[in-house]
């Protein structure tokens, strides 16, 4: 009787805690996302088509560079720490080991930016001083983002979501107010918009670092054994991460090469609509990954499919809205982009497929379903498909570039499904072997 009562109360406490966590996530991430969306859509309205094209290309380089400099190292901390989340020394040594690799990759990626970004802007005839200012913003953002990448992890592991969102909301609101001010003063342009992003990243990183001190004991020097463990974890997926760094922004890169500045601005503006999926992608890394990483192998398949089913329902709902009711989305984007009715549906479709890709990737990583053959099969087949489409399609229009992206996203999803099937089957076989023993 007492045991049953204890179990009932304990279960109720667990459900209460999870409800609280989910509520804080929805409220906090929703508020942060709302402010970011406001900033993004105001920039679409406030910047000229030429300025927005410049800002979009800089943002694409910045996003790609950030993935390249991380190479999945910061994301490996959660999986490698596992259930040792309360051991400050363990958490600290993994963060220190991850920073060892990131600091070295920063110099490599910076050289790539110094060469690639001027080349991309040169063919559009943009002023040299704009290119230089935007390049400085890209490198500053890349440098400052290290603290955010690593020191947000202890807060996520210990479910300090309120602290995370308070910091992000504060910086986001301040950025929005600053952008509004420079707009009223009629001095807003592409590099000022990019600079505000750098300052936001710097503030967030410093605040995360201070907040995470109570959860980690970071050593002075990184441990060689820890570095080796991190490297062994990320090594199988490094080629895939490098590929995904470019493929995530491939629409902007392609239109930047084959299209005009107007097309770049259109693709960049449509990409802002894809931000509505950011809250779902964040839910995947913040809620789903820690949850699945702690689960036993028993009933894993059922939980895996249940989470995937929820994701599919969300994606199908948004796809329906995108094709049937594009007008509200076009109104948000403004008169300069009101002619993109057909493109809006394609953008939402592509973003939905990418969301399912991200969800399945995060779930696979949480169970360490990372095998050396994955990047070989995935990347080689993707490159072949892209080469085929580049040589057979006219990629000088916004619509055709979106078709290109949808086809590529579907193909990537097929790769994730293959890995999931193999992983679930492997888990099932392991459970059967344990039951026989």
């Amino acid at each position: 009787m007492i045991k049953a009562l204890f179990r009932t109360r304990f279960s109720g406490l667990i459900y209460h805690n999870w409800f609280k966590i989910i509520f804080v996530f929805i409220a906090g991430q929703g508020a942060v996302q709302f402010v970011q969306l406001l900033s993004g859509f105001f920039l679409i309205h406030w910047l000229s088509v030429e300025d927005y094209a410049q800002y979009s290309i800089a943002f694409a380089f910045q996003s790609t560079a950030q993935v390249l400099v991380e190479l999945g190292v910061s994301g490996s901390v959660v999986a490698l720490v596992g259930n040792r989340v309360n051991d400050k020394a363990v958490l600290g040594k993994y963060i220190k080991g991850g920073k060892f690799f990131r600091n070295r990759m920063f110099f490599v990626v910076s050289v790539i930016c110094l060469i690639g970004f001027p080349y991309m802007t040169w063919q559009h005839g943009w002023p040299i001083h704009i290119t230089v200012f935007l390049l400085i913003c890209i490198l500053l953002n890349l440098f400052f983002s290290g603290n955010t990448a690593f020191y947000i992890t202890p807060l996520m592991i210990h479910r300090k979501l309120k602290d995370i969102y308070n910091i992000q909301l504060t910086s986001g609101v301040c950025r929005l107010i600053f952008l509004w001010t420079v707009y009223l003063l009629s001095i807003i342009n592409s590099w000022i918009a990019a600079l505000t992003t750098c300052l936001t990243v710097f503030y967030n990183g410093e605040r995360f670092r201070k907040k995470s001190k109570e959860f980690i004991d970071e050593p002075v020097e990184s441990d060689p054994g820890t570095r080796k463990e991190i490297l062994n974890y990320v090594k199988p997926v490094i080629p895939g991460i490098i590929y995904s760094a470019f493929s995530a922004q491939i629409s902007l890169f392609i239109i930047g090469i084959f299209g005009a500045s107007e097309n770049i601005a259109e693709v960049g503006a449509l990409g802002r609509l894809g931000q509505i999926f950011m809250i779902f992608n964040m839910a995947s890394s913040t809620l789903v990954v820690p949850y699945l990483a702690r689960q036993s192998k028993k009933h894993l398949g059922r939980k895996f499919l249940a989470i995937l089913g929820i994701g599919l329902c969300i994606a199908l709902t948004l796809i329906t809205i995108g094709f049937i009711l594009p007008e509200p989305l076009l109104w948000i984007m403004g008169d300069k982009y009101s002619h993109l009715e057909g493109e809006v549906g394609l953008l939402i479709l592509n973003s939905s497929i990418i969301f399912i890709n991200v969800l399945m990737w995060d779930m696979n990583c949480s169970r360490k379903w990372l095998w050396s053959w994955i990047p070989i099969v995935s990347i080689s087949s993707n490159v072949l498909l892209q080469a085929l489409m580049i040589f057979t399609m006219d990629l000088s229009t916004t619509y055709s570039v979106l078709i290109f992206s949808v086809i590529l996203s579907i193909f990537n999803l097929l790769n994730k499904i293959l890995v999931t099937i193999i992983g679930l089957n492997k888990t099932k076989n392991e459970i059967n072997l344990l039951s026989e023993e």
Side-chain angles (χ1 to χ4, degrees):
M1 179 73 176
I2 296 175
K3 289 182 178 180
L5 181 62
F6 174 77
R7 282 198 298 268
T8 302
R9 289 182 176 179
F10 185 69
S11 299
L13 180 62
I14 292 175
Y15 286 121
H16 173 74
N17 288 338
W18 268 105
F19 177 80
K20 182 179 178 181
I21 291 170
I22 293 173
F23 175 78
V24 171
F25 171 79
I26 293 174
Q29 187 63 37
V32 171
Q33 188 66 31
F34 178 71
V35 172
Q36 290 177 347
L37 284 172
L38 276 182
S39 300
F41 287 123
F42 280 144
L43 283 176
I44 293 175
H45 287 263
W46 292 342
L47 292 173
S48 67
V49 172
E50 185 80 0
D51 274 316
Y52 198 74
Q54 295 166 0
Y55 175 76
S56 297
I57 287 294
F59 182 80
F61 261 85
Q62 177 180 294
S63 302
T64 299
Q66 193 163 330
V67 176
L68 290 175
V69 84
E70 296 293 342
L71 284 183
V73 172
S74 60
S76 70
V77 174
V78 176
L80 294 176
V81 169
N83 58 7
R84 298 172 291 174
V85 294
N86 294 315
D87 191 326
K88 294 182 179 181
V90 169
L91 192 50
K93 75 174 184 176
Y94 280 111
I95 289 176
K96 191 68 176 182
K99 287 168 63 179
F100 172 86
F101 291 108
R102 190 191 190 280
N103 291 339
R104 282 148 182 79
M105 282 302 301
F106 170 77
F107 294 102
V108 177
V109 177
S110 295
V111 172
I112 296 175
C113 293
L114 287 169
I115 298 172
F117 185 72
Y119 171 77
M120 183 72 73
T121 60
W122 170 77
Q123 62 181 353
H124 291 284
W126 294 340
I128 295 177
H129 71 278
I130 294 296
T131 298
V132 172
F133 287 152
L134 288 174
L135 183 57
I136 291 172
C137 290
I138 292 171
L139 297 179
L140 285 176
N141 185 284
L142 192 61
F143 181 77
F144 293 147
S145 63
N147 282 346
T148 299
F150 285 100
Y151 293 116
I152 195 175
T153 301
L155 300 178
M156 289 174 57
I157 290 176
H158 289 277
R159 298 172 184 172
K160 298 296 180 180
L161 300 184
K162 189 179 294 185
D163 290 335
I164 294 174
Y165 297 134
N166 282 338
I167 293 169
Q168 292 178 332
L169 193 58
T170 300
S171 61
V173 170
C174 290
R175 177 174 183 260
L176 180 57
I177 293 173
F178 179 80
L179 288 172
W180 180 62
T181 302
V182 295
Y183 166 70
L184 292 178
L185 295 172
S186 299
I187 58 174
I188 190 169
N189 56 38
S190 57
W191 69 265
I192 288 179
L195 181 60
T196 60
T197 304
C198 299
L199 297 176
T200 300
V201 171
F202 172 74
Y203 173 83
N204 289 349
E206 286 299 305
R207 295 284 289 145
F208 288 148
R209 183 177 61 82
K210 292 177 181 178
K211 283 285 184 181
S212 66
K213 281 184 177 180
E214 63 177 297
F215 303 112
I216 62 174
D217 284 331
E218 191 174 343
V220 177
E221 299 290 339
S222 60
D223 173 57
T226 302
R227 297 202 302 264
K228 183 178 180 181
E229 188 179 357
I230 292 173
L231 186 59
N232 288 337
Y233 177 85
V234 300
K235 191 187 299 181
V237 295
I238 285 178
I241 291 173
I242 294 174
Y243 170 78
S244 66
F246 291 96
S247 64
Q249 304 295 331
I250 194 167
S251 298
L252 273 167
F253 289 146
I254 285 180
I255 205 67
I257 295 172
F258 296 104
S261 294
E262 181 182 354
N263 300 121
I264 296 174
E266 289 174 353
V267 172
L270 286 165
R272 286 292 174 179
L273 294 180
Q275 284 192 332
I276 61 177
F277 287 86
M278 190 176 294
I279 188 171
F280 305 120
N281 293 339
M282 288 297 297
S284 177
S285 60
T286 306
L287 301 177
V288 175
V289 171
Y291 171 74
L292 276 184
R294 291 194 294 263
Q295 298 304 308
S296 64
K297 294 177 181 179
K298 190 176 183 181
H299 305 308
L300 177 65
R302 188 185 306 171
K303 295 174 181 177
F304 199 103
L305 294 176
I307 294 171
L308 182 58
I310 294 171
L312 287 171
C313 289
I314 294 171
L316 290 173
T317 301
L318 291 171
I319 291 170
T320 303
I321 294 172
F323 278 103
I324 296 178
L325 295 171
E327 289 80 11
L329 299 175
L330 290 170
W331 176 80
I332 292 173
M333 292 170 64
D335 294 336
K336 288 180 288 188
Y337 306 98
S338 59
H339 58 286
L340 300 175
E341 184 173 332
E343 286 82 352
V344 166
L346 286 175
L347 185 279
I348 298 299
L349 172 62
N350 187 53
S351 298
S352 300
I353 299 171
I354 290 174
F355 159 60
I356 300 300
N357 264 297
V358 170
L359 179 62
M360 296 190 71
W361 169 259
D362 284 342
M363 290 195 293
N364 290 341
C365 288
S366 71
R367 301 307 302 183
K368 300 180 183 179
W369 295 343
L370 307 171
W371 300 294
S372 58
W373 59 267
I374 294 176
I376 299 174
V377 174
S378 176
I379 295 175
S380 59
S381 58
N382 269 270
V383 170
L384 287 174
L385 178 61
Q386 287 182 47
L388 177 64
M389 289 192 290
I390 288 173
F391 283 109
T392 58
M393 294 176 64
D394 175 15
L395 297 174
S396 61
T397 67
T398 302
Y399 190 89
S400 61
V401 167
L402 288 172
I403 293 291
F404 174 96
S405 299
V406 169
I407 295 173
L408 197 59
S409 296
I410 292 173
F411 190 78
N412 286 330
L413 181 59
L414 294 176
N415 286 327
K416 303 297 189 303
I417 292 173
L418 175 63
V419 173
T420 300
I421 292 172
I422 295 173
L424 289 175
N425 188 59
K426 180 175 178 290
T427 301
K428 182 180 178 182
N429 293 335
E430 290 172 351
I431 292 173
N432 291 337
L433 287 174
L434 289 173
S435 61
E436 291 176 2
E437 292 177 357

